[in-house]
Amino acid sequence: MIERDDGIPIITLASVTKRYPHDIVALDDITLSLEKGEFCFLTGPSGSGKSTLLKLLYFAEQPTSGDIFIEGINIKTIKEAHKPIFRRKIGVVFQDFKLLQDRNVFDNVALALEVVGFSHDQIAYRVNKVLESLGLGGKGRRFPQELSGGEQQRVAIARAIVNRPPIILADEPTGNLDSVRTMEVLDIMDELNARGTTILFATHDERLFEGTRRRVVRLRDGRMEVGY
Ligand SMILES: Nc1ncnc2c1ncn2[C@@H]1O[C@H](COP(=O)(O)OP(=O)(O)OP(=O)(O)O)[C@@H](O)[C@H]1O
Ligand SMILES: [Mg+2]
């Protein structure tokens, strides 16, 4: 499923600044591009702006100034009505999972496909396949509170990837997991990346990328540290 590389970065931030009320500068003049198929870690201490950067990319916040391009399209120019379609290019994995507690595992994952209008059969096929690939084959009827933290995190990943988005944004996806579960999540991300998915993985945990050859972007007080 590797897309043809047309040379356009899949994500670009151009001189992006984000200020929150009370003059908090969460991101200060960030310029950064990710190539298609890249796996990039985003790191930095608490409050350095990692989550803010991801929020700008999944449309949860807007930049105060600067431009963001996804697949070469300036997101400022996307009409409100087209945003949901565009948003589906991006799967998001949150640290706190954000699973719906009153829906079972199958339905949590199916929701992402229901809104797109897949048929009942297509949904069943895709959801079961993704649950199996994440080792959750027998867990479809369970509710989130009946699962371990690691299992809940895998459901959150299943939900993010079930519609096969070209981009995965992961915000501290291993923050609540022990080291074995953490390695599992890293393996899943590696596998998705090997299939062509671009991954931006935010974590303050340096151990996750120690010794890796993957790119590491470091933030400090909203600025990118020199060297990248
Ligand atoms: N909604 C908000 N309103 C006001 N300030 C905010 C808001 N969200 C984040 N901030 C501030 O912006 C700065 C960057 O926060 P952000 O959550 O992006 O950091 P982070 O690197 O993800 O931190 P952590 O590692 O703790 O998750 C911090 O000073 C934070 O207090
Ligand atoms: Mg954060």
Side-chain angles (χ1 to χ4, degrees):
M1 243 201 350
I2 295 174
E3 288 178 40
R4 192 170 58 80
D5 190 354
D6 50 17
I8 300 171
I10 194 160
I11 293 172
T12 298
L13 291 89
S15 304
V16 167
T17 291
K18 174 64 184 176
R19 286 201 187 85
Y20 288 115
H22 309 294
D23 235 13
I24 294 165
V25 182
L27 292 174
D28 187 3
D29 197 22
I30 299 291
T31 294
L32 170 72
S33 279
L34 257 68
E35 302 304 323
K36 278 190 187 126
E38 211 175 325
F39 188 139
C40 179
F41 287 101
L42 179 64
T43 193
S46 182
S48 59
K50 304 180 295 295
S51 295
T52 300
L53 195 153
L54 297 188
K55 282 178 185 165
L56 297 177
L57 293 174
Y58 61 80
F59 301 172
E61 294 283 354
Q62 288 189 339
T64 310
S65 62
D67 290 290
I68 295 173
F69 301 84
I70 306 229
E71 293 182 337
I73 296 170
N74 189 331
I75 64 173
K76 260 186 204 160
T77 66
I78 303 170
K79 293 200 181 84
E80 216 44 52
H82 293 158
K83 278 198 177 155
I85 299 167
F86 215 76
R87 175 65 181 72
R88 282 177 213 136
K89 291 182 185 297
I90 299 166
V92 186
V93 184
F94 303 95
Q95 176 174 355
D96 61 355
F97 318 138
K98 296 200 194 302
L99 298 175
L100 301 171
Q101 297 301 319
D102 58 347
R103 283 179 173 243
N104 66 25
V105 165
F106 183 97
D107 289 339
N108 262 281
V109 178
L111 193 62
L113 297 176
E114 281 163 14
V115 296
V116 192
F118 277 93
S119 74
H120 187 78
D121 286 353
Q122 284 169 323
I123 290 174
Y125 176 76
R126 280 212 185 189
V127 172
N128 287 325
K129 206 170 139 191
V130 82
L131 288 178
E132 256 161 49
S133 75
L134 292 172
L136 293 165
K139 305 275 161 97
R141 288 172 187 274
R142 298 265 199 103
F143 284 83
Q145 62 271 24
E146 299 171 325
L147 300 175
S148 72
E151 288 167 337
Q152 291 186 49
Q153 186 58 293
R154 278 180 282 149
V155 177
I157 293 171
R159 184 187 50 189
I161 68 176
V162 70
N163 64 358
R164 301 173 195 163
I167 302 168
I168 299 274
L169 305 175
D171 195 357
E172 302 275 2
T174 59
N176 291 312
L177 306 181
D178 65 29
S179 56
V180 174
R181 299 296 170 211
T182 294
M183 286 316 294
E184 278 178 14
V185 169
L186 277 175
D187 286 347
I188 294 163
M189 294 293 163
D190 270 338
E191 213 175 294
L192 289 167
N193 181 242
R195 283 192 263 150
T197 310
T198 305
I199 298 186
L200 185 54
F201 190 123
T203 180
H204 64 271
D205 186 353
E206 306 255 334
R207 286 172 303 180
L208 297 197
F209 50 80
E210 255 169 22
T212 177
R213 289 175 314 167
R214 304 222 183 266
R215 181 172 175 199
V216 180
V217 168
R218 289 174 194 276
L219 294 176
R220 179 170 295 274
D221 297 332
R223 289 190 145 259
M224 245 163 81
E225 291 199 331
V226 198
Y228 294 93

